[in-house]
Amino acid sequence: MERRRLGRTGHMNSAVAFGSAALGRVDQDTADRAIQTALDGGVNHIDVAPSYGDAELRWKPWMPRIRERIFLGCKTRERTREAAWAQLNRSLERLGTDRLDLYQLHSVGRLHGLDAAMAKGGALETLIRARDEGLTRWLGITGHTHDAPSTLYGALTRVDEFDTVMFPLNFVLFSIPHYRRDYERLLALCQEREIGIQIIKTVAKDPWGDRPRTHTTWYEPFADQPRIDAAVAFVLSQPVTTLCSAGDVTVLPRILDAAERYHRLAETEQAALLATAGQYHTPFVGEWA
């Protein structure tokens, strides 16, 4: 699998990171098969969070074998220093490791969440302490919602503590003019500061609405290989570092396959794909709006 430099961390990152939300509600045997598939496919970056059910515990048996050869990123949705510190230590225990490579403020999609995390006594103080005490090497910030690129841009202009960002991008979101504008502004700042860019929601197709859920993702993902191929190729044709695999173990092998075979889309190919975006919808509706 292609490797790309994760900004100023210097880590040569697999083009696909393992999105551990997929492990949150599966048993250990199922998790083991998915993990082995990812490792065999060249994945060297794990993205996990305490809000992903039992995902941290599913990685614990693997840590003695793989810790030295993977880049481990974890997160906190807590917004106060004390709560984030407690959660960090719980995550380390559940993962079975004494350190992370990347610790991130999780799901800071709107300015009120950013304000809380960056206030005196906020969670950002825990991230800095964790770095100072050797519990992590690098710091990051992630966001959902249509406001995420704008909010993350605001975070980067307030402080220079963040080494990576993570936010949604796919050809459907890219076709929304204000989202593309905010993404391109954030991209330019990340390139200027050598900040690593991680992408989520690459294969998001639609909100579920009232339809039966056939996958464990909170949005409906593309499930057919040709559309996954196109969605993955579109994101990897952007100047980003890595995309996180979807939160469903059945979709993982198709994303890995798409990343292994992708070619950088020409402008005409991107335009043709963007012309189909109107058939699908952003997942950020209702509670995610």
Side-chain angles (χ1 to χ4, degrees):
M1 183 182 295
E2 180 186 1
R3 301 278 176 98
R4 299 181 178 192
R5 187 171 181 268
L6 187 62
R8 60 199 188 195
T9 74
H11 182 253
M12 293 307 296
N13 214 93
S14 52
V16 175
F18 193 114
S20 297
L23 306 182
R25 289 181 285 174
V26 300
D27 60 27
Q28 191 65 50
D29 286 345
T30 302
D32 289 346
R33 289 192 294 273
I35 291 168
Q36 191 64 62
T37 295
L39 295 175
D40 290 346
V43 171
N44 69 357
H45 181 145
I46 296 167
D47 174 70
V48 69
S51 57
Y52 296 164
D54 288 335
E56 292 172 324
L57 296 175
R58 296 291 169 257
W59 282 107
K60 189 170 186 176
W62 288 81
M63 283 299 149
R65 288 175 278 166
I66 68 171
R67 182 65 191 92
E68 298 304 320
R69 57 190 176 94
I70 54 94
F71 187 91
L72 179 58
C74 195
K75 313 169 188 171
T76 180
R77 294 184 74 164
E78 298 293 347
R79 296 296 181 248
T80 67
R81 177 181 58 209
E82 292 80 5
W85 183 254
Q87 189 171 67
L88 167 61
N89 284 279
R90 181 173 182 266
S91 288
L92 291 171
E93 192 281 326
R94 282 163 60 89
L95 285 164
T97 186
D98 60 358
R99 74 196 190 286
L100 306 170
D101 294 297
L102 175 66
Y103 199 46
Q104 302 154 102
L105 294 177
H106 188 190
S107 194
V108 187
R110 298 253 171 94
L111 283 175
H112 63 81
L114 180 63
D115 291 341
M118 299 182 75
K120 183 176 176 57
L124 179 59
E125 294 181 8
T126 283
L127 269 67
I128 295 170
R129 177 183 173 187
R131 183 185 60 197
D132 291 347
E133 295 189 11
L135 300 181
T136 188
R137 292 191 65 195
W138 311 104
L139 305 182
I141 184 169
T142 86
H144 286 75
T145 80
H146 291 158
D147 292 341
S150 177
T151 299
L152 300 190
Y153 180 89
L156 298 184
T157 59
R158 291 191 197 186
V159 297
D160 193 23
E161 301 289 353
F162 299 116
D163 305 296
T164 68
V165 294
M166 177 187 289
F167 59 91
L169 185 68
N170 55 45
F171 70 90
V172 179
L173 290 168
F174 191 88
S175 71
I176 301 171
H178 81 268
Y179 197 90
R180 178 175 178 175
R181 178 201 66 209
D182 290 345
Y183 154 65
E184 291 178 339
R185 185 177 66 154
L186 175 61
L187 174 64
L189 183 56
C190 289
Q191 291 175 323
E192 176 186 329
R193 294 193 183 176
E194 287 192 286
I195 292 171
I197 300 174
Q198 306 171 81
I199 297 301
I200 54 176
K201 307 301 176 282
T202 296
V203 297
K205 174 185 177 184
D206 277 307
W208 283 114
D210 295 328
R211 296 188 305 281
R213 299 194 176 200
T214 55
H215 295 80
T216 56
T217 45
W218 60 263
Y219 55 87
E220 182 183 1
F222 289 112
D224 61 296
Q225 192 67 55
R227 273 292 154 177
I228 291 175
D229 287 351
V232 167
F234 179 83
V235 167
L236 292 183
S237 295
Q238 306 298 315
V240 303
T241 306
T242 190
L243 63 88
C244 290
S245 59
D248 187 295
V249 293
T250 67
V251 181
L252 171 66
R254 299 169 204 169
I255 291 176
L256 296 174
D257 187 48
E260 182 67 27
R261 294 182 293 99
Y262 101 97
H263 71 275
R264 193 171 298 274
L265 299 182
E267 288 187 12
T268 53
E269 293 175 300
Q270 292 193 43
L273 182 60
L274 289 169
T276 71
Q279 303 173 40
Y280 313 108
H281 304 88
T282 170
F284 297 112
V285 296
E287 63 177 311
W288 295 97

